[in-house]
Amino acid sequence: MCMDFPAKKLIVPLAVLVGCTILIAQLVSRFGERLGNGDDQRTDGHQQMLSQLASIANNAQNPFFGDAALNQLKTQLLRTPPRSVPELMVRFQLGEHELRRGATEAAIEQLTKCYQLLPLVEEAINSESRVEARTTTTFLLAVAYLRLGENENCVNCHRSESCIFPLKDGGIHEKREGSQKAIPYLEEVLELNPSDAAARWLLNLAHMTLGTYPEQVPDNYLIESAVFDSDEKFPRFTDVATEAGLNTRSLCGGAIIDDFNGDGLLDVVTSDWDVKGQLKFFEGTRHGKFGEQTEAAGLTGLYGGLNINQTDYNNDGHLDIYVMRGAWLADQGQHPNSLIRNNGDGTFTDVTLEAGLAKKNYPTQASAWADFNQDGHLDLYVGNEIVGNNPAPSQLFKNNGDGTFTDVAAEAGVLNNRYTKAVVWGDYDDDLDPDLYVSCYGHPNRLYRNNGDGTFTDVAPDLGVDRPIWSFPAWFWDFNNDGAIDIFVGSYEIVDGTGAVARSYLGLPFKGETLRLYQGDGKGGFQEVSRQQKLTQLSLPMGANFGDLDNDGYSDFYLGTGYPNYEALMPNLMYRNQAGQGFADVTTAGGFGHLQKGHGVVFADLDNDGDQDVFEQMGGAFPGDSFGDVLFENPGFENHWLKVKLIGHKTNKAAIGARIRVTITENEAKRDIFLYVNSGGSFGASPLRKELGLGKATVIDQLEIRWPTSGQVQTFQNVPVNVCLEIEENMQEYRKVSLPIISYQGK
């Protein structure tokens, strides 16, 4: 009897597996201390949240990755006839299972046995499936060996150049077995299917890890180095995460950088999607080494969270934290999110239950804060995913002004009921009421116009901003400084994964949507301009954010790319804004092309030297795909800058929604620079203390602040450059703030 064998395409990405629990991490029993530091700030609600999260960490079950699934497959193997197609298929599943759970050697053992079984059972496989059976098995065995090389070199013996594409110098593997053994298997796949772009990509990559690229790559499979060249010259950034104490290993998660203790130094918060992954707090110090203060801050036991952001929900002047949990887990992801109050004394308290934010829990990875009704209190929109096979409703929590919230999504008309990947607020029609853009995976996106009466209307179809269908990160910004808000939306349509990305680099036809850039016209309309702005590369971004790397006053952006499977070794991408006339890929020149999966991306001047560094929270979804975070230090561009911290009074205290307009003279020509107070893009939250590049301008002709709630416009003339200013609503003068300049430990 002939049998079909699972095609290589069935090694599917996470996003395609919505509605199933295949991506739940290996949930074995383990969790650390349940309580924080034991101080008197702990509330009953805080203790209840710790108990809930501990229960989730200990009791959640996974039929695909946990020990139960593994044991079931092993039992099935014992009952399977030897030297048969069923044995081949069970061993293949075991190998895939072991690889994803991080047991690489065990995966190689099972997949090697599969490879050896193939000629013995080939006649029993459907004739149409034989080649696919061989390529699928051989390809995954090659991937397992590549993963072995990554573990032995990039993970366990990490250096600043590890996994920076194209690999050279310190990125070359010292332990060579993994890549050496992967190469002949990849060549075999290509002999069977010369058009397999994924195998071709990984073959070139394997040779890079050995230092044998391009000389030893067969000519017919070689990808020329010119394919990877940047569009223009750009100074190289260096990963200093180890020196700074920020190279923490975790699965995918979120990141926040902001000043949580008010000392002028930026702090770092990271989350971990694993239900046992600890939320971590790193305090900035004057000697440049970030010190982990998780336990001292009372955060111990607050686990999980694919995404996080910051806010000041109670207008007390202290930045709070919001954690989103349960994403990608469908029925098993109905975990509570967390609102974590900053107590103002270096500690935090989970107040979710008291605030009324956990009455209904859904799998969540996206949320954003804004004052939608302009009452001076920040409200929260939470975009949810699916429960079972049905999209979960989104939630709009109106801030009641007393520490509690009420879900008004239904009456406001923003339930959405689509699989939500990103939510962002911005005033696209310039009427001072924040509007809401919702990125929906597998459905048209939403642009909810704020009607000013507590309700919203979806105008995305009318304005032509509802694509791409398979979208992920999104944000509002003004990329060309014309005073009109624009929309960025990243596409995450994974048809052929790594193969499609490789074909895009090679200039060959590929399947998959590319990102969209919608340019605002200042009248409430938009035009799609991604092609005109030179944004045609297939990128598959997850984490993404924007900032101004070279302090020229134009926003650049970085994409953390990839998908869950281990073969998704594709460089994260940096694009430089060419004065609003197009974007140049500077990935290779700038040293930004990290091959591991990037999630929380943050642009922030961590060392207070005037230019923005880039922090990236790294790691994949599978239990064996953790990786250390990176911090790309900015080498400097000799341009001028300004930092502005706004404090609202009638407007919310964090000034979220305020617009900053700077007018400068450069090269004898006046121009404006626009920036809005928000936290940035998907998974990464940049500081609410805004950082603006000023180019070569030696003085700011005019600094203008427009406050959203009051509508007040403050203007200041002849403002100095290279300073940090604190500006309060209704105040006629600004205050200069002295910030200590630090250097990273060992630098």
Side-chain angles (χ1 to χ4, degrees):
M1 176 180 180
C2 292
M3 299 184 64
D4 292 325
F5 191 82
K8 178 177 159 184
K9 304 299 184 294
L10 292 182
I11 307 173
V12 292
L14 172 147
V16 178
L17 297 174
V18 293
C20 73
T21 57
I22 193 167
L23 296 173
I24 304 175
Q26 177 191 358
L27 305 178
V28 297
S29 295
R30 177 184 68 83
F31 87 104
E33 298 178 76
R34 290 179 54 179
L35 304 181
N37 60 5
D39 64 28
D40 58 8
Q41 296 278 2
R42 301 287 77 89
T43 65
D44 290 343
H46 185 99
Q47 301 295 352
Q48 290 178 42
M49 180 62 72
L50 294 180
S51 180
Q52 286 189 49
L53 298 177
S55 178
I56 292 169
N58 282 324
N59 300 320
Q61 297 298 315
N62 186 323
F64 296 93
F65 296 140
D67 290 340
L70 184 67
N71 293 333
Q72 184 179 6
L73 284 170
K74 290 180 176 180
T75 300
Q76 187 178 348
L77 182 62
L78 294 174
R79 299 171 180 171
T80 301
R83 303 180 121 186
S84 66
V85 174
E87 182 189 358
L88 175 67
M89 298 178 73
V90 173
R91 288 196 182 278
F92 183 89
Q93 293 177 64
L94 270 170
E96 190 175 35
H97 185 103
E98 296 280 25
L99 182 62
R100 290 174 172 176
R101 71 198 293 265
T104 308
E105 290 83 359
I108 291 172
E109 180 183 356
Q110 291 296 339
L111 294 169
T112 300
K113 290 179 179 179
C114 287
Y115 183 83
Q116 295 167 344
L117 267 174
L118 277 169
L120 304 178
V121 302
E122 200 167 43
E123 293 299 320
I125 299 175
N126 185 298
S127 59
E128 298 178 356
S129 301
R130 289 173 190 170
V131 173
E132 194 65 53
R134 180 165 289 279
T135 57
T136 299
T137 302
T138 308
F139 181 84
L140 191 58
L141 180 55
V143 170
Y145 272 115
L146 285 175
R147 184 63 191 176
L148 177 67
E150 290 173 23
N151 289 339
E152 291 180 335
N153 295 275
C154 308
V155 178
N156 297 332
C157 299
H158 184 76
R159 293 178 286 189
S160 64
E161 294 178 287
S162 295
C163 288
I164 301 298
F165 184 84
L167 300 171
K168 58 182 181 179
D169 302 329
I172 295 174
H173 291 183
E174 293 184 355
K175 297 183 179 180
R176 305 167 64 86
E177 178 189 10
S179 292
Q180 286 176 334
K181 290 189 174 179
I183 286 173
Y185 292 119
L186 292 169
E187 290 178 342
E188 182 177 340
V189 172
L190 287 165
E191 289 170 6
L192 293 166
N193 181 11
S195 64
D196 192 318
R200 183 180 177 186
W201 177 270
L202 294 182
L203 177 64
N204 282 263
L205 188 62
H207 278 286
M208 286 184 191
T209 67
L210 299 174
T212 54
Y213 171 90
E215 293 81 9
Q216 296 187 26
V217 182
D219 291 343
N220 52 331
Y221 304 139
L222 177 65
I223 301 176
E224 298 287 351
S225 61
V227 169
F228 315 125
D229 289 345
S230 291
D231 295 334
E232 62 180 31
K233 294 182 179 180
F234 201 75
R236 193 169 182 87
F237 286 51
T238 303
D239 177 14
V240 296
T242 299
E243 292 84 351
L246 293 173
N247 60 328
T248 304
R249 273 181 65 179
S250 65
L251 297 183
C252 52
I256 306 169
I257 294 180
D258 220 313
D259 183 5
F260 285 91
N261 56 7
D263 64 354
L265 296 170
L266 294 175
D267 312 303
V268 179
V269 184
T270 62
S271 65
D272 186 337
W273 177 65
D274 190 342
V275 294
K276 303 176 299 297
Q278 172 65 55
L279 185 74
K280 294 182 178 179
F281 181 82
F282 299 89
E283 186 178 56
T285 65
R286 291 179 179 266
H287 58 75
K289 188 86 169 182
F290 287 81
E292 187 179 345
Q293 298 295 323
T294 303
E295 183 177 3
L299 298 172
T300 303
L302 292 173
Y303 300 135
L306 182 61
N307 196 2
I308 50 177
N309 55 40
Q310 79 274 43
T311 185
D312 183 2
Y313 80 95
N314 55 359
N315 285 331
D316 66 352
H318 306 300
L319 292 178
D320 315 297
I321 300 169
Y322 189 71
V323 181
M324 291 144 271
R325 300 189 178 96
W328 304 337
L329 305 184
D331 288 345
Q332 298 190 45
Q334 297 180 69
H335 303 161
N337 299 327
S338 277
L339 176 62
I340 305 171
R341 185 187 67 212
N342 186 336
N343 299 319
D345 60 0
T347 68
F348 295 82
T349 299
D350 193 304
V351 295
T352 311
L353 299 176
E354 294 92 333
L357 293 173
K359 294 178 180 179
K360 292 184 178 180
N361 301 322
Y362 304 103
T364 305
Q365 68 168 290
S367 71
W369 296 84
D371 184 4
F372 82 89
N373 57 0
Q374 298 295 8
D375 64 353
H377 301 287
L378 286 170
D379 313 297
L380 172 66
Y381 189 81
V382 179
N384 297 311
E385 297 184 351
I386 61 171
V387 177
N389 294 317
N390 300 312
S394 295
Q395 297 158 298
L396 175 59
F397 292 106
K398 180 175 72 70
N399 191 328
N400 299 321
D402 59 0
T404 68
F405 294 79
T406 302
D407 186 0
V408 297
E411 48 262 51
V414 293
L415 279 173
N416 189 32
N417 286 312
R418 295 176 181 176
Y419 189 110
T420 304
K421 302 294 279 186
V423 297
V424 287
W425 294 94
D427 184 12
Y428 84 92
D429 53 4
D430 205 32
D431 63 354
L432 296 181
D433 291 322
D435 311 294
L436 179 66
Y437 193 83
V438 184
S439 169
C440 306
Y441 193 76
H443 299 275
N445 300 325
R446 308 273 203 183
L447 176 55
Y448 288 113
R449 183 187 67 214
N450 192 330
N451 299 322
D453 60 0
T455 68
F456 294 77
T457 301
D458 182 14
V459 296
D462 298 333
L463 298 181
V465 296
D466 58 350
R467 296 296 189 272
I469 291 295
W470 302 97
S471 61
F472 204 150
W475 58 71
F476 285 108
W477 61 344
D478 186 356
F479 78 89
N480 56 356
N481 283 325
D482 65 352
I485 280 189
D486 315 303
I487 302 173
F488 173 98
V489 196
S491 174
Y492 200 70
E493 184 183 11
I494 306 172
V495 180
D496 187 28
T498 304
V501 171
R503 295 179 70 84
S504 177
Y505 270 96
L506 291 165
L508 301 172
F510 60 85
K511 295 179 180 178
E513 296 176 292
T514 54
L515 62 83
R516 299 289 197 275
L517 179 59
Y518 298 107
Q519 181 176 327
D521 62 8
K523 303 175 183 178
F526 293 91
Q527 178 185 3
E528 208 284 306
V529 295
S530 55
R531 185 166 294 277
Q532 296 96 308
Q533 292 291 323
K534 309 173 192 174
L535 297 174
T536 58
Q537 173 75 35
L538 183 67
S539 52
L540 305 182
M542 302 169 293
N545 213 333
F546 62 94
D548 187 359
L549 290 177
D550 51 3
N551 276 339
D552 67 349
Y554 291 93
S555 293
D556 318 299
F557 69 94
Y558 190 53
L559 303 179
T561 64
Y563 59 97
N565 289 356
Y566 287 132
E567 74 267 17
L569 293 169
M570 56 191 66
N572 300 322
L573 301 170
M574 182 69 80
Y575 287 93
R576 177 182 175 267
N577 191 334
Q578 299 175 307
Q581 302 303 305
F583 288 87
D585 184 338
V586 295
T587 302
T588 299
F592 298 108
H594 207 294
L595 288 170
Q596 300 299 325
K597 300 168 183 66
H599 283 84
V601 176
V602 184
F603 287 72
D605 182 13
L606 277 161
D607 49 5
N608 283 334
D609 65 352
D611 42 47
Q612 292 184 320
D613 312 300
V614 181
F615 178 81
E616 188 172 18
Q617 192 279 337
M618 309 294 294
F622 296 140
D625 203 11
S626 65
F627 205 82
D629 299 337
V630 299
L631 173 60
F632 293 113
E633 184 180 16
N634 195 318
F637 290 81
E638 299 183 356
N639 284 332
H640 299 299
W641 51 270
L642 174 71
K643 302 179 193 292
V644 181
K645 179 181 179 181
L646 300 181
I647 302 172
H649 290 292
K650 188 174 183 180
T651 298
N652 65 89
K653 197 143 189 179
I656 289 174
R659 187 191 71 182
I660 303 170
R661 178 179 183 175
V662 169
T663 303
I664 61 172
T665 301
E666 188 180 33
N667 300 321
E668 300 183 350
K670 284 189 179 293
R671 66 182 177 100
D672 292 326
I673 300 167
F674 292 87
L675 202 62
Y676 297 82
V677 181
N678 56 44
S679 61
S682 175
F683 296 131
S686 297
L688 296 177
R689 182 180 74 196
K690 305 316 292 183
E691 302 165 346
L692 298 89
L694 303 173
K696 299 300 182 184
T698 56
V699 67
I700 298 169
D701 300 332
Q702 179 169 290
L703 169 63
E704 177 186 286
I705 311 298
R706 190 180 70 179
W707 300 88
T709 300
S710 64
Q712 180 186 2
V713 177
Q714 290 171 287
T715 59
F716 306 92
Q717 312 293 327
N718 299 318
V719 178
V721 301
N722 300 342
V723 295
C724 178
L725 305 181
E726 194 171 87
I727 301 173
E728 295 191 45
E729 190 175 16
N730 297 322
M731 299 296 178
Q732 296 182 347
E733 303 290 336
Y734 55 74
R735 293 188 294 272
K736 290 185 182 180
V737 179
S738 178
L739 299 178
I741 299 175
I742 64 174
S743 61
Y744 302 116
Q745 188 84 355
K747 296 290 292 180

